[in-house]
PDB file of all heavy atoms in Angstrom:
ATOM      1  N   LEU A1182     169.595-122.848-108.347  1.00 98.00           N
ATOM      2  CA  LEU A1182     168.146-123.050-108.348  1.00 98.00           C
ATOM      3  C   LEU A1182     167.524-122.296-107.172  1.00 98.00           C
ATOM      4  O   LEU A1182     166.664-122.812-106.465  1.00 98.00           O
ATOM      5  CB  LEU A1182     167.819-124.545-108.251  1.00 98.00           C
ATOM      6  CG  LEU A1182     168.315-125.397-109.418  1.00 98.00           C
ATOM      7  CD1 LEU A1182     169.459-126.309-108.978  1.00 98.00           C
ATOM      8  CD2 LEU A1182     167.198-126.241-109.986  1.00 98.00           C
ATOM      9  N   ASP A1183     167.937-121.077-106.958  1.00 98.00           N
ATOM     10  CA  ASP A1183     167.486-120.278-105.816  1.00 98.00           C
ATOM     11  C   ASP A1183     166.092-119.695-106.052  1.00 98.00           C
ATOM     12  O   ASP A1183     165.701-119.393-107.188  1.00 98.00           O
ATOM     13  CB  ASP A1183     168.462-119.131-105.550  1.00 98.00           C
ATOM     14  CG  ASP A1183     169.847-119.619-105.155  1.00 98.00           C
ATOM     15  OD1 ASP A1183     169.976-120.804-104.791  1.00 98.00           O
ATOM     16  OD2 ASP A1183     170.793-118.820-105.215  1.00 98.00           O
ATOM     17  N   ASN A1184     165.344-119.526-104.953  1.00 97.00           N
ATOM     18  CA  ASN A1184     164.051-118.816-104.966  1.00 97.00           C
ATOM     19  C   ASN A1184     163.038-119.441-105.920  1.00 97.00           C
ATOM     20  O   ASN A1184     162.227-118.738-106.523  1.00 97.00           O
ATOM     21  CB  ASN A1184     164.256-117.333-105.320  1.00 97.00           C
ATOM     22  CG  ASN A1184     165.188-116.641-104.350  1.00 97.00           C
ATOM     23  OD1 ASN A1184     165.018-116.732-103.143  1.00 97.00           O
ATOM     24  ND2 ASN A1184     166.195-115.965-104.882  1.00 97.00           N
ATOM     25  N   ASN A1185     163.081-120.748-106.033  1.00 96.00           N
ATOM     26  CA  ASN A1185     162.095-121.443-106.862  1.00 96.00           C
ATOM     27  C   ASN A1185     160.891-121.850-106.025  1.00 96.00           C
ATOM     28  O   ASN A1185     161.007-122.157-104.838  1.00 96.00           O
ATOM     29  CB  ASN A1185     162.701-122.703-107.484  1.00 96.00           C
ATOM     30  CG  ASN A1185     163.585-122.401-108.671  1.00 96.00           C
ATOM     31  OD1 ASN A1185     163.359-121.439-109.399  1.00 96.00           O
ATOM     32  ND2 ASN A1185     164.603-123.218-108.888  1.00 96.00           N
ATOM     33  N   GLY A1186     159.718-121.873-106.641  1.00 93.00           N
ATOM     34  CA  GLY A1186     158.551-122.456-106.026  1.00 93.00           C
ATOM     35  C   GLY A1186     157.663-121.500-105.269  1.00 93.00           C
ATOM     36  O   GLY A1186     157.963-120.321-105.087  1.00 93.00           O
ATOM     37  N   SER A1187     156.528-122.042-104.823  1.00 90.00           N
ATOM     38  CA  SER A1187     155.505-121.295-104.100  1.00 90.00           C
ATOM     39  C   SER A1187     154.922-122.189-103.020  1.00 90.00           C
ATOM     40  O   SER A1187     154.823-123.403-103.180  1.00 90.00           O
ATOM     41  CB  SER A1187     154.407-120.854-105.062  1.00 90.00           C
ATOM     42  OG  SER A1187     153.268-120.410-104.372  1.00 90.00           O
ATOM     43  N   LEU A1188     154.515-121.602-101.914  1.00 88.00           N
ATOM     44  CA  LEU A1188     153.958-122.374-100.805  1.00 88.00           C
ATOM     45  C   LEU A1188     152.547-122.877-101.076  1.00 88.00           C
ATOM     46  O   LEU A1188     151.980-123.606-100.261  1.00 88.00           O
ATOM     47  CB  LEU A1188     153.968-121.539 -99.524  1.00 88.00           C
ATOM     48  CG  LEU A1188     155.350-121.338 -98.892  1.00 88.00           C
ATOM     49  CD1 LEU A1188     155.266-120.392 -97.714  1.00 88.00           C
ATOM     50  CD2 LEU A1188     155.942-122.670 -98.451  1.00 88.00           C
ATOM     51  N   VAL A1189     151.940-122.533-102.202  1.00 84.00           N
ATOM     52  CA  VAL A1189     150.577-122.993-102.484  1.00 84.00           C
ATOM     53  C   VAL A1189     150.550-124.193-103.431  1.00 84.00           C
ATOM     54  O   VAL A1189     149.483-124.672-103.779  1.00 84.00           O
ATOM     55  CB  VAL A1189     149.708-121.863-103.092  1.00 84.00           C
ATOM     56  CG1 VAL A1189     149.636-120.681-102.152  1.00 84.00           C
ATOM     57  CG2 VAL A1189     150.236-121.450-104.454  1.00 84.00           C
ATOM     58  N   ASN A1190     151.717-124.678-103.864  1.00 81.00           N
ATOM     59  CA  ASN A1190     151.734-125.727-104.875  1.00 81.00           C
ATOM     60  C   ASN A1190     152.549-126.939-104.448  1.00 81.00           C
ATOM     61  O   ASN A1190     153.297-126.904-103.487  1.00 81.00           O
ATOM     62  CB  ASN A1190     152.264-125.170-106.192  1.00 81.00           C
ATOM     63  CG  ASN A1190     151.443-123.997-106.669  1.00 81.00           C
ATOM     64  OD1 ASN A1190     151.896-122.876-106.584  1.00 81.00           O
ATOM     65  ND2 ASN A1190     150.235-124.258-107.116  1.00 81.00           N
ATOM     66  N   GLY A1191     152.415-128.029-105.222  1.00 82.00           N
ATOM     67  CA  GLY A1191     152.987-129.319-104.862  1.00 82.00           C
ATOM     68  C   GLY A1191     154.430-129.530-105.272  1.00 82.00           C
ATOM     69  O   GLY A1191     155.246-128.635-105.130  1.00 82.00           O
ATOM     70  N   TRP A1192     154.729-130.741-105.779  1.00 86.00           N
ATOM     71  CA  TRP A1192     156.119-131.131-106.050  1.00 86.00           C
ATOM     72  C   TRP A1192     156.919-130.010-106.713  1.00 86.00           C
ATOM     73  O   TRP A1192     156.467-129.371-107.654  1.00 86.00           O
ATOM     74  CB  TRP A1192     156.177-132.355-106.954  1.00 86.00           C
ATOM     75  CG  TRP A1192     155.272-133.488-106.633  1.00 86.00           C
ATOM     76  CD1 TRP A1192     154.344-134.042-107.469  1.00 86.00           C
ATOM     77  CD2 TRP A1192     155.202-134.228-105.424  1.00 86.00           C
ATOM     78  NE1 TRP A1192     153.708-135.082-106.848  1.00 86.00           N
ATOM     79  CE2 TRP A1192     154.209-135.215-105.596  1.00 86.00           C
ATOM     80  CE3 TRP A1192     155.873-134.154-104.201  1.00 86.00           C
ATOM     81  CZ2 TRP A1192     153.879-136.126-104.597  1.00 86.00           C
ATOM     82  CZ3 TRP A1192     155.544-135.057-103.198  1.00 86.00           C
ATOM     83  CH2 TRP A1192     154.565-136.028-103.410  1.00 86.00           C
ATOM     84  N   LEU A1193     158.145-129.856-106.266  1.00 91.00           N
ATOM     85  CA  LEU A1193     159.023-128.847-106.844  1.00 91.00           C
ATOM     86  C   LEU A1193     160.060-129.485-107.769  1.00 91.00           C
ATOM     87  O   LEU A1193     160.280-129.030-108.880  1.00 91.00           O
ATOM     88  CB  LEU A1193     159.709-128.057-105.731  1.00 91.00           C
ATOM     89  CG  LEU A1193     160.477-126.813-106.134  1.00 91.00           C
ATOM     90  CD1 LEU A1193     159.593-125.846-106.895  1.00 91.00           C
ATOM     91  CD2 LEU A1193     161.071-126.133-104.900  1.00 91.00           C
ATOM     92  N   TYR A1194     160.702-130.546-107.281  1.00 93.00           N
ATOM     93  CA  TYR A1194     161.655-131.301-108.100  1.00 93.00           C
ATOM     94  C   TYR A1194     161.195-132.755-108.081  1.00 93.00           C
ATOM     95  O   TYR A1194     161.150-133.393-107.032  1.00 93.00           O
ATOM     96  CB  TYR A1194     163.069-131.186-107.535  1.00 93.00           C
ATOM     97  CG  TYR A1194     163.537-129.751-107.395  1.00 93.00           C
ATOM     98  CD1 TYR A1194     164.028-129.273-106.190  1.00 93.00           C
ATOM     99  CD2 TYR A1194     163.456-128.872-108.471  1.00 93.00           C
ATOM    100  CE1 TYR A1194     164.444-127.961-106.055  1.00 93.00           C
ATOM    101  CE2 TYR A1194     163.858-127.557-108.354  1.00 93.00           C
ATOM    102  CZ  TYR A1194     164.361-127.104-107.143  1.00 93.00           C
ATOM    103  OH  TYR A1194     164.760-125.804-107.016  1.00 93.00           O
ATOM    104  N   TYR A1195     160.873-133.295-109.242  1.00 92.00           N
ATOM    105  CA  TYR A1195     160.244-134.611-109.312  1.00 92.00           C
ATOM    106  C   TYR A1195     161.073-135.566-110.165  1.00 92.00           C
ATOM    107  O   TYR A1195     161.508-135.214-111.267  1.00 92.00           O
ATOM    108  CB  TYR A1195     158.844-134.498-109.912  1.00 92.00           C
ATOM    109  CG  TYR A1195     158.164-135.832-110.104  1.00 92.00           C
ATOM    110  CD1 TYR A1195     157.438-136.412-109.068  1.00 92.00           C
ATOM    111  CD2 TYR A1195     158.261-136.517-111.312  1.00 92.00           C
ATOM    112  CE1 TYR A1195     156.817-137.648-109.233  1.00 92.00           C
ATOM    113  CE2 TYR A1195     157.646-137.742-111.485  1.00 92.00           C
ATOM    114  CZ  TYR A1195     156.930-138.311-110.442  1.00 92.00           C
ATOM    115  OH  TYR A1195     156.332-139.526-110.617  1.00 92.00           O
ATOM    116  N   VAL A1196     161.250-136.789-109.649  1.00 92.00           N
ATOM    117  CA  VAL A1196     161.861-137.852-110.435  1.00 92.00           C
ATOM    118  C   VAL A1196     161.030-139.102-110.242  1.00 92.00           C
ATOM    119  O   VAL A1196     160.657-139.456-109.127  1.00 92.00           O
ATOM    120  CB  VAL A1196     163.335-138.088-110.036  1.00 92.00           C
ATOM    121  CG1 VAL A1196     163.485-138.354-108.557  1.00 92.00           C
ATOM    122  CG2 VAL A1196     163.940-139.229-110.843  1.00 92.00           C
ATOM    123  N   GLY A1197     160.680-139.780-111.337  1.00 88.00           N
ATOM    124  CA  GLY A1197     159.841-140.954-111.218  1.00 88.00           C
ATOM    125  C   GLY A1197     159.970-141.896-112.388  1.00 88.00           C
ATOM    126  O   GLY A1197     160.554-141.571-113.415  1.00 88.00           O
ATOM    127  N   TYR A1198     159.441-143.099-112.193  1.00 85.00           N
ATOM    128  CA  TYR A1198     159.312-144.095-113.243  1.00 85.00           C
ATOM    129  C   TYR A1198     160.650-144.439-113.894  1.00 85.00           C
ATOM    130  O   TYR A1198     160.927-144.099-115.039  1.00 85.00           O
ATOM    131  CB  TYR A1198     158.277-143.648-114.278  1.00 85.00           C
ATOM    132  CG  TYR A1198     156.944-143.365-113.635  1.00 85.00           C
ATOM    133  CD1 TYR A1198     156.541-142.051-113.396  1.00 85.00           C
ATOM    134  CD2 TYR A1198     156.131-144.411-113.203  1.00 85.00           C
ATOM    135  CE1 TYR A1198     155.330-141.793-112.754  1.00 85.00           C
ATOM    136  CE2 TYR A1198     154.935-144.153-112.560  1.00 85.00           C
ATOM    137  CZ  TYR A1198     154.535-142.843-112.336  1.00 85.00           C
ATOM    138  OH  TYR A1198     153.358-142.587-111.693  1.00 85.00           O
ATOM    139  N   ALA A1199     161.496-145.114-113.081  1.00 88.00           N
ATOM    140  CA  ALA A1199     162.777-145.655-113.559  1.00 88.00           C
ATOM    141  C   ALA A1199     163.703-144.575-114.101  1.00 88.00           C
ATOM    142  O   ALA A1199     164.394-144.777-115.094  1.00 88.00           O
ATOM    143  CB  ALA A1199     162.540-146.736-114.602  1.00 88.00           C
ATOM    144  N   SER A1200     163.721-143.426-113.438  1.00 94.00           N
ATOM    145  CA  SER A1200     164.554-142.306-113.888  1.00 94.00           C
ATOM    146  C   SER A1200     165.561-141.901-112.813  1.00 94.00           C
ATOM    147  O   SER A1200     165.533-142.405-111.687  1.00 94.00           O
ATOM    148  CB  SER A1200     163.676-141.117-114.261  1.00 94.00           C
ATOM    149  OG  SER A1200     162.836-141.449-115.351  1.00 94.00           O
ATOM    150  N   LYS A1201     166.432-140.958-113.162  1.00 96.00           N
ATOM    151  CA  LYS A1201     167.468-140.493-112.247  1.00 96.00           C
ATOM    152  C   LYS A1201     167.588-138.980-112.327  1.00 96.00           C
ATOM    153  O   LYS A1201     167.694-138.416-113.416  1.00 96.00           O
ATOM    154  CB  LYS A1201     168.818-141.133-112.589  1.00 96.00           C
ATOM    155  CG  LYS A1201     169.967-140.637-111.716  1.00 96.00           C
ATOM    156  CD  LYS A1201     171.295-141.220-112.174  1.00 96.00           C
ATOM    157  CE  LYS A1201     172.452-140.627-111.386  1.00 96.00           C
ATOM    158  NZ  LYS A1201     173.770-141.119-111.878  1.00 96.00           N
ATOM    159  N   LEU A1202     167.567-138.338-111.165  1.00 96.00           N
ATOM    160  CA  LEU A1202     167.777-136.895-111.073  1.00 96.00           C
ATOM    161  C   LEU A1202     168.934-136.636-110.115  1.00 96.00           C
ATOM    162  O   LEU A1202     168.925-137.114-108.976  1.00 96.00           O
ATOM    163  CB  LEU A1202     166.517-136.196-110.558  1.00 96.00           C
ATOM    164  CG  LEU A1202     166.646-134.709-110.192  1.00 96.00           C
ATOM    165  CD1 LEU A1202     167.037-133.876-111.414  1.00 96.00           C
ATOM    166  CD2 LEU A1202     165.348-134.191-109.581  1.00 96.00           C
ATOM    167  N   SER A1203     169.937-135.899-110.573  1.00 96.00           N
ATOM    168  CA  SER A1203     171.083-135.560-109.743  1.00 96.00           C
ATOM    169  C   SER A1203     171.179-134.053-109.572  1.00 96.00           C
ATOM    170  O   SER A1203     171.114-133.299-110.556  1.00 96.00           O
ATOM    171  CB  SER A1203     172.381-136.075-110.371  1.00 96.00           C
ATOM    172  OG  SER A1203     172.427-137.483-110.359  1.00 96.00           O
ATOM    173  N   LEU A1204     171.309-133.613-108.313  1.00 96.00           N
ATOM    174  CA  LEU A1204     171.585-132.224-107.973  1.00 96.00           C
ATOM    175  C   LEU A1204     172.886-132.223-107.184  1.00 96.00           C
ATOM    176  O   LEU A1204     172.890-132.384-105.965  1.00 96.00           O
ATOM    177  CB  LEU A1204     170.448-131.631-107.132  1.00 96.00           C
ATOM    178  CG  LEU A1204     169.034-131.681-107.719  1.00 96.00           C
ATOM    179  CD1 LEU A1204     168.021-131.177-106.698  1.00 96.00           C
ATOM    180  CD2 LEU A1204     168.960-130.857-108.989  1.00 96.00           C
ATOM    181  N   ILE A1205     174.001-132.054-107.863  1.00 97.00           N
ATOM    182  CA  ILE A1205     175.313-132.161-107.241  1.00 97.00           C
ATOM    183  C   ILE A1205     175.902-130.773-107.024  1.00 97.00           C
ATOM    184  O   ILE A1205     176.065-130.003-107.970  1.00 97.00           O
ATOM    185  CB  ILE A1205     176.280-132.993-108.114  1.00 97.00           C
ATOM    186  CG1 ILE A1205     175.655-134.339-108.464  1.00 97.00           C
ATOM    187  CG2 ILE A1205     177.613-133.186-107.390  1.00 97.00           C
ATOM    188  CD1 ILE A1205     175.361-135.211-107.282  1.00 97.00           C
TER     189      ILE A1205
END
Side-chain angles (χ1 to χ4, degrees):
L1182 297 110
D1183 297 344
N1184 302 310
N1185 282 329
S1187 166
L1188 287 174
V1189 301
N1190 303 106
W1192 314 123
L1193 190 56
Y1194 304 127
Y1195 176 87
V1196 55
Y1198 304 102
S1200 297
K1201 177 185 175 184
L1202 170 62
S1203 292
L1204 304 174
I1205 307 298

